[in-house]
Coordinates of all heavy atoms in Angstrom, one line a residue:
Q1 N 75.4 10.6 -3.7 CA 76.6 10.1 -4.4 C 76.4 8.6 -4.7 O 75.9 7.8 -3.9 CB 77.8 10.2 -3.5 CG 78.2 11.7 -3.3 CD 78.7 12.4 -4.6 OE1 79.2 11.7 -5.5 NE2 78.6 13.7 -4.6
I2 N 76.8 8.2 -6.0 CA 76.7 6.8 -6.4 C 78.1 6.2 -6.2 O 79.1 6.7 -6.7 CB 76.3 6.8 -7.9 CG1 74.9 7.4 -8.1 CG2 76.3 5.4 -8.4 CD1 74.5 7.6 -9.5
A3 N 78.1 5.0 -5.6 CA 79.3 4.4 -5.3 C 80.0 3.9 -6.6 O 81.2 4.0 -6.7 CB 79.1 3.2 -4.3
D4 N 79.3 3.3 -7.5 CA 79.9 2.8 -8.7 C 79.1 3.3 -9.9 O 78.1 2.7 -10.4 CB 79.8 1.2 -8.7 CG 80.7 0.6 -9.8 OD1 81.3 1.3 -10.5 OD2 80.6 -0.7 -9.9
P5 N 79.5 4.4 -10.5 CA 78.8 5.0 -11.6 C 78.8 4.1 -12.9 O 77.8 4.0 -13.6 CB 79.6 6.2 -12.0 CG 80.5 6.5 -10.8 CD 80.7 5.2 -10.1
A6 N 79.8 3.2 -13.1 CA 79.8 2.3 -14.3 C 78.7 1.3 -14.1 O 77.9 1.0 -15.1 CB 81.1 1.7 -14.4
A7 N 78.5 0.7 -12.9 CA 77.5 -0.3 -12.7 C 76.1 0.4 -12.8 O 75.2 -0.2 -13.4 CB 77.6 -0.9 -11.3
C8 N 76.0 1.6 -12.3 CA 74.7 2.3 -12.4 C 74.3 2.6 -13.9 O 73.2 2.4 -14.3 CB 74.8 3.6 -11.6 SG 73.3 4.6 -11.7
D9 N 75.3 3.0 -14.7 CA 75.0 3.2 -16.1 C 74.7 1.9 -16.8 O 73.8 1.9 -17.7 CB 76.3 3.8 -16.8 CG 76.6 5.2 -16.3 OD1 75.6 5.9 -15.8 OD2 77.7 5.7 -16.5
Q10 N 75.3 0.8 -16.4 CA 75.0 -0.5 -17.1 C 73.6 -0.9 -16.7 O 72.8 -1.4 -17.6 CB 76.0 -1.5 -16.6 CG 75.8 -2.9 -17.3 CD 76.8 -3.9 -16.8 OE1 77.5 -3.7 -15.8 NE2 76.9 -5.0 -17.4
M11 N 73.2 -0.7 -15.5 CA 71.8 -1.1 -15.1 C 70.8 -0.2 -15.8 O 69.7 -0.7 -16.2 CB 71.6 -1.0 -13.5 CG 72.3 -2.1 -12.8 SD 71.9 -2.1 -11.1 CE 73.2 -1.0 -10.4
Y12 N 71.1 1.1 -15.9 CA 70.2 2.0 -16.6 C 70.0 1.6 -18.0 O 68.9 1.6 -18.5 CB 70.7 3.4 -16.5 CG 69.9 4.4 -17.2 CD1 68.7 4.9 -16.6 CD2 70.3 4.9 -18.4 CE1 67.9 5.8 -17.3 CE2 69.5 5.8 -19.1 CZ 68.3 6.3 -18.6 OH 67.5 7.2 -19.2
E13 N 71.1 1.3 -18.7 CA 71.0 0.9 -20.1 C 70.2 -0.4 -20.3 O 69.4 -0.6 -21.2 CB 72.4 0.7 -20.7 CG 73.2 2.0 -20.9 CD 72.5 2.9 -21.8 OE1 71.9 2.5 -22.8 OE2 72.6 4.1 -21.5
S14 N 70.4 -1.3 -19.3 CA 69.6 -2.6 -19.3 C 68.1 -2.3 -19.2 O 67.2 -2.8 -19.9 CB 70.0 -3.5 -18.2 OG 71.3 -3.9 -18.4
L15 N 67.7 -1.4 -18.3 CA 66.3 -1.0 -18.1 C 65.8 -0.3 -19.4 O 64.6 -0.5 -19.7 CB 66.2 -0.1 -16.9 CG 66.4 -0.8 -15.5 CD1 66.4 0.3 -14.4 CD2 65.3 -1.8 -15.3
V16 N 66.6 0.5 -20.0 CA 66.2 1.2 -21.2 C 65.9 0.2 -22.3 O 64.9 0.3 -23.0 CB 67.2 2.2 -21.7 CG1 66.9 2.7 -23.1 CG2 67.3 3.4 -20.7
R17 N 66.7 -0.9 -22.5 CA 66.5 -1.9 -23.5 C 65.2 -2.7 -23.2 O 64.5 -3.0 -24.1 CB 67.7 -2.8 -23.5 CG 68.9 -2.3 -24.2 CD 70.0 -3.3 -24.5 NE 70.5 -4.0 -23.4 CZ 71.6 -3.5 -22.7 NH1 72.2 -2.5 -23.1 NH2 72.0 -4.2 -21.6
I18 N 65.0 -2.9 -21.9 CA 63.7 -3.6 -21.6 C 62.5 -2.8 -21.9 O 61.5 -3.2 -22.5 CB 63.7 -4.1 -20.1 CG1 64.8 -5.1 -19.9 CG2 62.3 -4.5 -19.6 CD1 65.0 -5.4 -18.4
H19 N 62.6 -1.5 -21.5 CA 61.5 -0.6 -21.7 C 61.2 -0.3 -23.2 O 60.0 -0.2 -23.6 CB 61.8 0.8 -21.0 CG 60.7 1.8 -21.2 ND1 59.5 1.7 -20.6 CD2 60.7 2.9 -21.9 CE1 58.8 2.7 -20.9 NE2 59.5 3.5 -21.8
T20 N 62.2 -0.3 -24.0 CA 62.0 0.0 -25.5 C 61.8 -1.3 -26.3 O 61.7 -1.2 -27.5 CB 63.2 0.7 -26.0 OG1 64.3 0.0 -25.8 CG2 63.3 2.1 -25.4
N21 N 61.6 -2.5 -25.6 CA 61.4 -3.7 -26.3 C 62.6 -4.0 -27.3 O 62.3 -4.5 -28.4 CB 60.1 -3.8 -27.0 CG 58.9 -3.9 -26.1 OD1 59.1 -4.5 -25.0 ND2 57.8 -3.2 -26.4
Y22 N 63.8 -3.7 -26.9 CA 64.9 -3.9 -27.8 C 65.1 -5.3 -28.3 O 65.2 -5.6 -29.4 CB 66.2 -3.5 -27.0 CG 67.5 -3.7 -27.8 CD1 67.9 -2.9 -28.8 CD2 68.2 -4.9 -27.5 CE1 69.1 -3.1 -29.4 CE2 69.4 -5.1 -28.1 CZ 69.8 -4.3 -29.1 OH 71.0 -4.5 -29.8
Y23 N 64.9 -6.3 -27.3 CA 65.1 -7.7 -27.7 C 64.0 -8.2 -28.5 O 64.1 -9.1 -29.3 CB 65.4 -8.5 -26.5 CG 66.8 -8.2 -25.9 CD1 66.9 -7.5 -24.7 CD2 67.9 -8.6 -26.5 CE1 68.1 -7.1 -24.2 CE2 69.2 -8.2 -26.0 CZ 69.3 -7.5 -24.8 OH 70.5 -7.1 -24.3
K24 N 62.8 -7.7 -28.2 CA 61.6 -8.2 -29.0 C 61.7 -7.7 -30.4 O 61.4 -8.4 -31.3 CB 60.3 -7.6 -28.4 CG 59.1 -8.0 -29.1 CD 57.8 -7.5 -28.4 CE 56.6 -8.0 -29.1 NZ 55.4 -7.4 -28.5
N25 N 62.3 -6.5 -30.6 CA 62.5 -6.0 -32.0 C 63.7 -6.7 -32.7 O 63.7 -6.9 -33.9 CB 62.6 -4.5 -32.0 CG 61.4 -3.8 -31.5 OD1 60.3 -4.3 -31.7 ND2 61.6 -2.7 -30.9
K26 N 64.7 -7.0 -31.9 CA 65.9 -7.6 -32.4 C 65.7 -9.1 -32.8 O 66.2 -9.5 -33.9 CB 67.0 -7.5 -31.4 CG 68.4 -8.0 -32.0 CD 69.5 -7.8 -31.0 CE 70.8 -8.4 -31.5 NZ 71.9 -8.2 -30.6
Y27 N 64.9 -9.8 -32.0 CA 64.6 -11.2 -32.3 C 63.0 -11.3 -32.4 O 62.4 -11.8 -31.5 CB 65.1 -12.1 -31.1 CG 66.6 -11.9 -30.9 CD1 67.0 -11.2 -29.8 CD2 67.5 -12.4 -31.8 CE1 68.4 -11.0 -29.5 CE2 68.9 -12.2 -31.5 CZ 69.3 -11.5 -30.4 OH 70.6 -11.4 -30.2
P28 N 62.5 -10.9 -33.5 CA 61.0 -11.0 -33.6 C 60.5 -12.5 -33.7 O 61.2 -13.4 -34.1 CB 60.7 -10.3 -35.0 CG 62.0 -10.4 -35.7 CD 63.1 -10.4 -34.7
R29 N 59.3 -12.7 -33.2 CA 58.7 -14.0 -33.2 C 57.8 -14.2 -34.3 O 57.2 -13.2 -34.8 CB 57.9 -14.2 -31.9 CG 58.8 -14.2 -30.7 CD 58.0 -14.5 -29.4 NE 58.8 -14.5 -28.2 CZ 58.4 -14.7 -27.0 NH1 57.1 -15.0 -26.9 NH2 59.2 -14.7 -26.0
L30 N 57.6 -15.4 -34.8 CA 56.6 -15.6 -35.9 C 55.2 -15.4 -35.4 O 54.3 -14.9 -36.1 CB 56.8 -17.1 -36.4 CG 58.1 -17.4 -37.0 CD1 58.2 -18.9 -37.4 CD2 58.4 -16.5 -38.2
K31 N 55.0 -15.7 -34.1 CA 53.6 -15.6 -33.6 C 53.8 -15.0 -32.1 O 54.6 -15.5 -31.4 CB 52.9 -17.0 -33.5 CG 51.6 -17.0 -33.0 CD 51.0 -18.4 -33.0 CE 49.7 -18.5 -32.4 NZ 49.1 -19.8 -32.3
D32 N 53.0 -14.0 -31.8 CA 53.0 -13.5 -30.5 C 52.4 -14.5 -29.5 O 51.3 -15.0 -29.7 CB 52.2 -12.1 -30.4 CG 53.0 -11.0 -31.0 OD1 54.3 -11.1 -31.1 OD2 52.4 -10.0 -31.4
T33 N 53.2 -14.8 -28.5 CA 52.7 -15.7 -27.4 C 52.9 -15.1 -26.1 O 53.6 -14.1 -25.9 CB 53.4 -17.0 -27.5 OG1 54.8 -16.7 -27.3 CG2 53.2 -17.7 -28.8
T34 N 52.2 -15.7 -25.1 CA 52.4 -15.3 -23.7 C 52.7 -16.5 -22.9 O 52.8 -17.6 -23.4 CB 51.1 -14.6 -23.2 OG1 50.0 -15.6 -23.3 CG2 50.7 -13.4 -24.0
F35 N 52.9 -16.3 -21.6 CA 53.3 -17.4 -20.7 C 52.1 -18.4 -20.7 O 52.4 -19.6 -20.6 CB 53.5 -16.8 -19.3 CG 53.7 -17.9 -18.2 CD1 54.9 -18.5 -18.2 CD2 52.7 -18.2 -17.3 CE1 55.1 -19.5 -17.2 CE2 52.9 -19.1 -16.4 CZ 54.1 -19.8 -16.3
T36 N 50.9 -17.9 -20.7 CA 49.8 -18.8 -20.6 C 49.4 -19.4 -22.0 O 48.6 -20.3 -22.1 CB 48.5 -18.1 -20.0 OG1 48.2 -17.0 -20.8 CG2 48.8 -17.7 -18.6
G37 N 49.9 -18.8 -23.1 CA 49.5 -19.2 -24.4 C 48.3 -18.5 -24.9 O 47.8 -18.8 -26.0
V38 N 47.7 -17.6 -24.2 CA 46.5 -16.9 -24.5 C 46.9 -15.6 -25.2 O 47.8 -14.9 -24.7 CB 45.6 -16.6 -23.3 CG1 44.4 -15.8 -23.7 CG2 45.3 -17.9 -22.6
T39 N 46.3 -15.2 -26.3 CA 46.6 -14.0 -27.0 C 46.1 -12.8 -26.3 O 45.2 -12.9 -25.4 CB 46.1 -14.0 -28.5 OG1 44.6 -14.0 -28.4 CG2 46.6 -15.2 -29.3
I40 N 46.6 -11.6 -26.6 CA 46.2 -10.4 -26.0 C 44.7 -10.1 -26.2 O 44.0 -9.7 -25.3 CB 47.1 -9.2 -26.4 CG1 48.5 -9.4 -26.0 CG2 46.5 -7.9 -26.0 CD1 49.5 -8.4 -26.5
E41 N 44.3 -10.4 -27.4 CA 42.9 -10.2 -27.8 C 42.0 -11.1 -26.9 O 40.9 -10.6 -26.4 CB 42.6 -10.4 -29.3 CG 43.3 -9.5 -30.2 CD 44.7 -9.8 -30.5 OE1 45.2 -10.9 -30.2 OE2 45.5 -8.8 -30.9
D42 N 42.4 -12.3 -26.7 CA 41.6 -13.2 -25.9 C 41.5 -12.7 -24.4 O 40.5 -12.8 -23.8 CB 42.2 -14.6 -25.9 CG 42.0 -15.3 -27.3 OD1 41.1 -14.8 -28.0 OD2 42.7 -16.3 -27.5
C43 N 42.7 -12.2 -23.9 CA 42.7 -11.7 -22.6 C 41.8 -10.5 -22.4 O 41.0 -10.4 -21.4 CB 44.1 -11.3 -22.2 SG 45.2 -12.6 -21.9
K44 N 41.8 -9.6 -23.4 CA 40.9 -8.4 -23.3 C 39.5 -8.9 -23.4 O 38.6 -8.3 -22.7 CB 41.2 -7.5 -24.5 CG 42.5 -6.8 -24.3 CD 42.8 -5.8 -25.5 CE 44.1 -5.1 -25.3 NZ 44.4 -4.3 -26.4
M45 N 39.1 -9.8 -24.2 CA 37.8 -10.3 -24.3 C 37.3 -11.0 -23.0 O 36.2 -10.7 -22.5 CB 37.6 -11.3 -25.5 CG 36.2 -11.7 -25.7 SD 36.0 -12.9 -27.1 CE 36.8 -14.3 -26.3
I46 N 38.2 -11.7 -22.4 CA 37.8 -12.4 -21.2 C 37.6 -11.4 -20.0 O 36.7 -11.6 -19.2 CB 38.9 -13.4 -20.8 CG1 38.9 -14.6 -21.8 CG2 38.7 -14.0 -19.4 CD1 40.1 -15.5 -21.7
L47 N 38.4 -10.4 -20.0 CA 38.4 -9.4 -18.9 C 37.3 -8.4 -19.1 O 37.1 -7.6 -18.2 CB 39.7 -8.8 -18.7 CG 40.8 -9.7 -18.3 CD1 42.2 -9.0 -18.3 CD2 40.5 -10.3 -17.0
A48 N 36.7 -8.3 -20.3 CA 35.6 -7.3 -20.5 C 34.5 -7.6 -19.6 O 34.1 -8.7 -19.3 CB 35.2 -7.4 -22.0
T49 N 33.9 -6.5 -19.1 CA 32.9 -6.6 -18.1 C 31.6 -7.3 -18.6 O 31.0 -8.1 -17.9 CB 32.5 -5.2 -17.6 OG1 32.1 -4.4 -18.7 CG2 33.6 -4.6 -16.8
D50 N 31.3 -7.1 -19.9 CA 30.1 -7.8 -20.4 C 30.3 -9.3 -20.5 O 29.4 -10.0 -20.1 CB 29.8 -7.3 -21.9 CG 29.4 -5.8 -21.9 OD1 28.9 -5.3 -20.9 OD2 29.6 -5.2 -22.9
I51 N 31.5 -9.7 -20.8 CA 31.8 -11.2 -20.9 C 31.7 -11.7 -19.5 O 31.2 -12.8 -19.3 CB 33.1 -11.4 -21.5 CG1 33.2 -10.9 -23.0 CG2 33.5 -12.9 -21.5 CD1 32.2 -11.6 -23.9
L52 N 32.3 -11.0 -18.5 CA 32.2 -11.5 -17.1 C 30.8 -11.6 -16.6 O 30.4 -12.6 -15.9 CB 33.0 -10.6 -16.2 CG 34.5 -10.6 -16.4 CD1 35.2 -9.5 -15.5 CD2 35.1 -11.9 -16.0
K53 N 29.9 -10.7 -17.0 CA 28.5 -10.8 -16.5 C 27.9 -12.0 -17.2 O 27.1 -12.7 -16.5 CB 27.8 -9.5 -16.9 CG 28.2 -8.3 -16.1 CD 27.5 -7.0 -16.5 CE 27.9 -5.8 -15.8 NZ 27.3 -4.6 -16.2
Q54 N 28.1 -12.2 -18.5 CA 27.6 -13.3 -19.1 C 28.0 -14.6 -18.5 O 27.2 -15.6 -18.3 CB 27.9 -13.3 -20.6 CG 27.3 -12.2 -21.4 CD 27.7 -12.2 -22.8 OE1 28.6 -13.0 -23.3 NE2 27.2 -11.3 -23.6
M55 N 29.3 -14.7 -18.1 CA 29.8 -15.9 -17.5 C 29.2 -16.1 -16.1 O 28.8 -17.3 -15.8 CB 31.3 -15.8 -17.3 CG 32.1 -15.9 -18.7 SD 33.9 -15.7 -18.5 CE 34.3 -17.1 -17.5
E56 N 28.9 -15.1 -15.4 CA 28.3 -15.2 -14.1 C 26.8 -15.7 -14.3 O 26.4 -16.6 -13.5 CB 28.2 -13.9 -13.4 CG 29.6 -13.5 -12.8 CD 29.6 -12.1 -12.2 OE1 28.5 -11.5 -12.0 OE2 30.7 -11.6 -11.9
E57 N 26.1 -15.2 -15.3 CA 24.8 -15.7 -15.6 C 24.8 -17.2 -16.0 O 23.9 -17.9 -15.6 CB 24.2 -14.8 -16.7 CG 23.8 -13.4 -16.3 CD 23.3 -12.6 -17.4 OE1 23.1 -13.1 -18.5 OE2 23.2 -11.4 -17.2
M58 N 25.8 -17.6 -16.8 CA 25.9 -19.0 -17.2 C 26.1 -19.8 -15.9 O 25.6 -20.9 -15.8 CB 27.1 -19.1 -18.2 CG 26.7 -18.6 -19.5 SD 28.1 -18.6 -20.7 CE 29.0 -20.1 -20.4
K59 N 27.0 -19.4 -15.0 CA 27.2 -20.1 -13.8 C 26.0 -20.3 -13.0 O 25.7 -21.3 -12.4 CB 28.3 -19.4 -12.9 CG 29.7 -19.6 -13.5 CD 30.7 -18.9 -12.6 CE 32.1 -18.9 -13.2 NZ 33.0 -18.1 -12.4
K60 N 25.2 -19.2 -12.9 CA 24.0 -19.2 -12.1 C 23.0 -20.2 -12.7 O 22.4 -21.0 -12.1 CB 23.3 -17.8 -12.1 CG 24.0 -16.8 -11.2 CD 23.3 -15.5 -11.2 CE 24.1 -14.5 -10.4 NZ 23.5 -13.1 -10.5
G61 N 23.0 -20.2 -14.0 CA 22.1 -21.2 -14.7 C 22.5 -22.6 -14.4 O 21.7 -23.5 -14.2
T62 N 23.8 -22.9 -14.4 CA 24.3 -24.2 -14.1 C 23.9 -24.6 -12.7 O 23.5 -25.8 -12.5 CB 25.8 -24.3 -14.3 OG1 26.1 -23.8 -15.6 CG2 26.4 -25.7 -14.1
W63 N 24.1 -23.7 -11.8 CA 23.8 -24.1 -10.4 C 22.3 -24.3 -10.2 O 21.9 -25.2 -9.5 CB 24.3 -23.0 -9.4 CG 25.8 -23.1 -9.2 CD1 26.7 -22.2 -9.6 CD2 26.5 -24.1 -8.6 NE1 28.0 -22.6 -9.3 CE2 27.8 -23.8 -8.6 CE3 26.1 -25.3 -8.0 CZ2 28.8 -24.6 -8.1 CZ3 27.1 -26.1 -7.4 CH2 28.4 -25.8 -7.5
K64 N 21.5 -23.5 -10.9 CA 20.0 -23.7 -10.8 C 19.7 -25.0 -11.4 O 18.8 -25.8 -10.8 CB 19.3 -22.6 -11.6 CG 19.3 -21.3 -10.9 CD 18.6 -20.2 -11.7 CE 18.6 -18.9 -11.0 NZ 17.9 -17.8 -11.8
K65 N 20.3 -25.4 -12.5 CA 20.0 -26.8 -13.0 C 20.4 -27.9 -12.1 O 19.6 -28.8 -11.9 CB 20.8 -26.9 -14.4 CG 20.2 -26.1 -15.5 CD 21.1 -26.3 -16.7 CE 20.8 -25.3 -17.8 NZ 21.7 -25.3 -18.9
L66 N 21.5 -27.7 -11.5 CA 22.0 -28.8 -10.5 C 21.0 -28.8 -9.3 O 20.7 -29.9 -8.8 CB 23.4 -28.5 -10.0 CG 24.5 -28.7 -11.1 CD1 25.8 -28.2 -10.5 CD2 24.6 -30.2 -11.4
R67 N 20.6 -27.7 -8.8 CA 19.7 -27.7 -7.7 C 18.4 -28.3 -8.1 O 17.8 -29.1 -7.3 CB 19.4 -26.2 -7.2 CG 20.5 -25.8 -6.2 CD 20.1 -24.5 -5.6 NE 21.0 -23.5 -6.2 CZ 20.6 -22.2 -6.5 NH1 19.5 -21.8 -6.2 NH2 21.5 -21.4 -7.0
E68 N 17.9 -28.0 -9.3 CA 16.6 -28.6 -9.7 C 16.7 -30.1 -9.8 O 15.8 -30.9 -9.4 CB 16.2 -28.0 -11.1 CG 15.7 -26.6 -11.0 CD 15.5 -26.0 -12.4 OE1 15.7 -26.7 -13.4 OE2 15.2 -24.8 -12.4
R69 N 17.8 -30.6 -10.3 CA 18.1 -32.1 -10.5 C 18.1 -32.7 -9.1 O 17.6 -33.8 -8.8 CB 19.3 -32.4 -11.2 CG 19.2 -32.1 -12.7 CD 20.5 -32.4 -13.4 NE 20.5 -31.9 -14.8 CZ 21.5 -31.9 -15.6 NH1 22.7 -32.3 -15.1 NH2 21.5 -31.5 -16.8
F70 N 18.9 -32.0 -8.2 CA 19.0 -32.6 -6.8 C 17.7 -32.6 -6.1 O 17.3 -33.6 -5.5 CB 20.0 -31.7 -6.0 CG 20.2 -32.1 -4.6 CD1 21.0 -33.2 -4.3 CD2 19.6 -31.5 -3.6 CE1 21.1 -33.7 -3.0 CE2 19.7 -31.9 -2.3 CZ 20.5 -33.0 -2.0
Y71 N 16.9 -31.6 -6.2 CA 15.6 -31.5 -5.5 C 14.6 -32.5 -6.1 O 13.8 -33.1 -5.5 CB 15.0 -30.1 -5.5 CG 15.8 -29.2 -4.5 CD1 16.3 -28.0 -4.9 CD2 16.0 -29.6 -3.2 CE1 17.0 -27.2 -4.0 CE2 16.7 -28.8 -2.3 CZ 17.2 -27.6 -2.7 OH 17.9 -26.8 -1.9
A72 N 14.7 -32.7 -7.5 CA 13.8 -33.7 -8.1 C 14.2 -35.1 -7.7 O 13.2 -35.9 -7.4 CB 14.0 -33.6 -9.6
K73 N 15.4 -35.4 -7.5 CA 15.8 -36.7 -7.1 C 15.4 -36.9 -5.6 O 14.9 -38.0 -5.2 CB 17.3 -37.0 -7.2 CG 17.8 -37.1 -8.6 CD 19.3 -37.4 -8.7 CE 19.8 -37.5 -10.1 NZ 21.2 -37.6 -10.2
K74 N 15.5 -35.9 -4.8 CA 15.2 -35.9 -3.4 C 13.7 -36.1 -3.2 O 13.3 -36.9 -2.4 CB 15.7 -34.7 -2.7 CG 15.5 -34.7 -1.2 CD 16.1 -33.5 -0.5 CE 15.9 -33.6 1.0 NZ 16.5 -32.4 1.7
S75 N 12.9 -35.4 -4.0 CA 11.4 -35.5 -3.9 C 11.0 -36.9 -4.3 O 10.0 -37.5 -3.8 CB 10.7 -34.4 -4.7 OG 11.0 -34.6 -6.0
E76 N 11.7 -37.5 -5.3 CA 11.3 -38.9 -5.8 C 11.6 -39.9 -4.6 O 10.8 -40.8 -4.4 CB 12.1 -39.2 -7.0 CG 11.7 -38.5 -8.3 CD 12.5 -38.9 -9.5 OE1 13.5 -39.7 -9.3 OE2 12.4 -38.3 -10.5
E77 N 12.7 -39.7 -4.0 CA 13.1 -40.6 -2.9 C 12.1 -40.4 -1.7 O 11.8 -41.4 -1.0 CB 14.5 -40.3 -2.4 CG 15.6 -40.7 -3.4 CD 17.0 -40.3 -3.0 OE1 17.2 -39.7 -1.9 OE2 17.9 -40.5 -3.8
D78 N 11.7 -39.2 -1.4 CA 10.7 -38.9 -0.3 C 9.4 -39.5 -0.6 O 8.7 -40.0 0.3 CB 10.6 -37.4 -0.1 CG 11.9 -36.8 0.5 OD1 12.7 -37.6 1.0 OD2 12.0 -35.6 0.4
S79 N 9.0 -39.5 -1.9 CA 7.7 -40.1 -2.2 C 7.6 -41.6 -2.2 O 6.6 -42.2 -2.0 CB 7.2 -39.6 -3.6 OG 8.1 -40.2 -4.6
K80 N 8.8 -42.3 -2.2 CA 8.8 -43.7 -2.1 C 8.7 -44.2 -0.7 O 8.4 -44.3 0.2 CB 10.2 -44.3 -2.7 CG 10.3 -44.1 -4.1 CD 11.6 -44.6 -4.6 CE 11.8 -44.4 -6.1 NZ 13.0 -44.9 -6.6

């Protein structure tokens, strides 16, 4: 049994409006935006596994470069 059927109906109608994008259709935007300002296409591209693998490879390359620079400086100091 529902204690307040009118309140339940009102909540149900609110959920239906959210689910059907009622307000998005009623008040269309000139440009689709998100909280972060990143478009959906950009999010999909960033989250793609191939892109993630490429980013990991780029990070590895950066760390290797830093290690090489560090060891080169260290070996120069050791030789002095």
Side-chain angles (χ1 to χ4, degrees):
Q1 294 291 335
I2 299 172
D4 190 4
C8 181
D9 289 341
Q10 184 180 11
M11 285 188 273
Y12 178 77
E13 291 299 323
S14 296
L15 291 173
V16 168
R17 285 193 298 270
I18 292 170
H19 178 71
T20 59
N21 290 326
Y22 174 80
Y23 292 106
K24 184 177 180 181
N25 295 329
K26 185 175 180 182
Y27 306 106
R29 296 181 180 185
L30 297 175
K31 181 180 175 184
D32 285 337
T33 58
T34 59
F35 175 74
T36 58
V38 179
T39 62
I40 293 172
E41 292 81 18
D42 291 341
C43 289
K44 288 180 181 178
M45 185 179 72
I46 291 169
L47 296 175
T49 56
D50 293 336
I51 300 297
L52 289 175
K53 289 178 184 176
Q54 289 176 2
M55 289 176 64
E56 287 176 13
E57 290 174 8
M58 288 171 42
K59 286 180 186 176
K60 288 179 186 176
T62 304
W63 284 113
K64 286 181 183 177
K65 289 176 189 175
L66 289 173
R67 274 189 253 146
E68 289 172 4
R69 288 180 189 170
F70 178 76
Y71 289 126
K73 288 180 183 178
K74 188 175 180 181
S75 63
E76 288 175 6
E77 291 174 4
D78 292 341
S79 64
K80 290 180 182 178

